[in-house]
Amino acid sequence: AMTKEQQALFMEYAKDSYVYNLFAVMLRTGIRNGEIRGLKYSDVDKKKNVFHVQRTLKYIEGWGYFEDTPKTRTSKRDIPLTADLVVLLDAQRNYWDFKVERLDHYLFCNEKGEPLSRDRLQAEIDRIVKCIQAEGHDFPRITPHIFRHTFATRAIEAGMPPQVLKTILGHSSLAMTMDLY
């Protein structure tokens, strides 16, 4: 997990990134990399104040992108929509200024509206870390999964009950959550 200082530094350097909103949502929800890349407009339910994690986006060489079920049975879940999440998701909805909005469109995508690849996301993280390091800061290489660990660490530090954290993370057992965090 990132320390609080590393988290703040990363987000400061990421503020002009086209995936800033993705990073911010990951840090507030602990959603997995493939799950956030597979998130669609139709998954955001403002009436019930949740967003639905229903799929993960995968890529197979020679086959292309496809949607799969989330990692485990308990990975299909609803994550509470907080006021700041609504702001981030609305900002993302309008980010690329697409003329025609489709409910089955991926919320986090590239400038052409195509699925965001794992490699492209990692390259953007690497670019931001390189900028941080170029300014003389000691900062480790991180992956999208570090955002999940960081969320869980901040949640435990804030006193979130482990059972609630287990549900939000989509873990199949409380033991898994407790062993990791």
Side-chain angles (χ1 to χ4, degrees):
M2 287 185 272
T3 64
K4 288 179 183 176
E5 295 76 20
Q6 288 171 331
Q7 180 180 336
L9 189 62
F10 182 89
M11 292 307 287
E12 176 62 27
Y13 277 80
K15 69 181 176 215
D16 295 326
S17 173
Y18 70 99
V19 284
Y20 174 86
N21 295 324
L22 180 146
F23 297 141
V25 170
M26 289 180 81
L27 285 169
R28 286 166 176 79
T29 64
I31 191 169
R32 292 179 181 96
N33 180 2
E35 293 170 344
I36 197 162
R37 292 183 300 108
L39 193 63
K40 297 182 178 185
Y41 292 126
S42 57
D43 296 325
V44 179
D45 187 342
K46 290 183 181 176
K47 286 184 180 142
K48 293 183 180 174
N49 265 339
V50 297
F51 71 84
H52 310 289
V53 178
Q54 304 183 94
R55 75 193 66 76
T56 188
L57 190 63
K58 293 187 176 178
Y59 181 83
I60 295 182
E61 195 66 43
W63 228 48
Y65 290 97
F66 70 97
E67 295 175 5
D68 199 1
T69 55
K71 189 174 178 181
T72 66
R73 179 181 50 79
T74 55
S75 293
K76 273 193 168 185
R77 62 201 185 279
D78 290 341
I79 295 180
L81 270 181
T82 59
D84 60 330
L85 276 175
V86 170
V87 169
L88 290 166
L89 294 172
D90 284 348
Q92 186 60 37
R93 176 179 225 138
N94 300 313
Y95 187 81
W96 292 117
D97 198 29
F98 294 125
K99 299 297 180 224
V100 178
E101 184 178 295
R102 295 179 12 214
L103 288 178
D104 67 342
H105 192 276
Y106 294 114
L107 192 53
F108 298 100
C109 57
N110 67 22
E111 63 280 358
K112 296 176 186 172
E114 300 165 342
L116 194 59
S117 74
R118 292 177 73 97
D119 291 343
R120 186 160 174 181
L121 183 57
Q122 185 62 56
E124 184 64 3
I125 292 170
D126 291 343
R127 183 192 70 76
I128 293 165
V129 168
K130 189 181 282 189
C131 290
I132 293 169
Q133 293 169 339
E135 294 282 326
H137 299 282
D138 182 27
F139 202 96
R141 182 174 190 268
I142 59 173
T143 66
H145 203 69
I146 294 298
F147 291 82
R148 183 169 167 84
H149 288 302
T150 302
F151 162 77
T153 300
R154 295 291 99 76
I156 292 290
E157 289 170 354
M160 182 181 285
Q163 187 64 40
V164 173
L165 181 59
K166 170 203 163 294
T167 302
I168 290 173
L169 291 174
H171 284 160
S172 55
S173 73
L174 185 57
M176 171 177 264
T177 305
M178 297 308 293
D179 286 348
L180 288 172
Y181 307 106

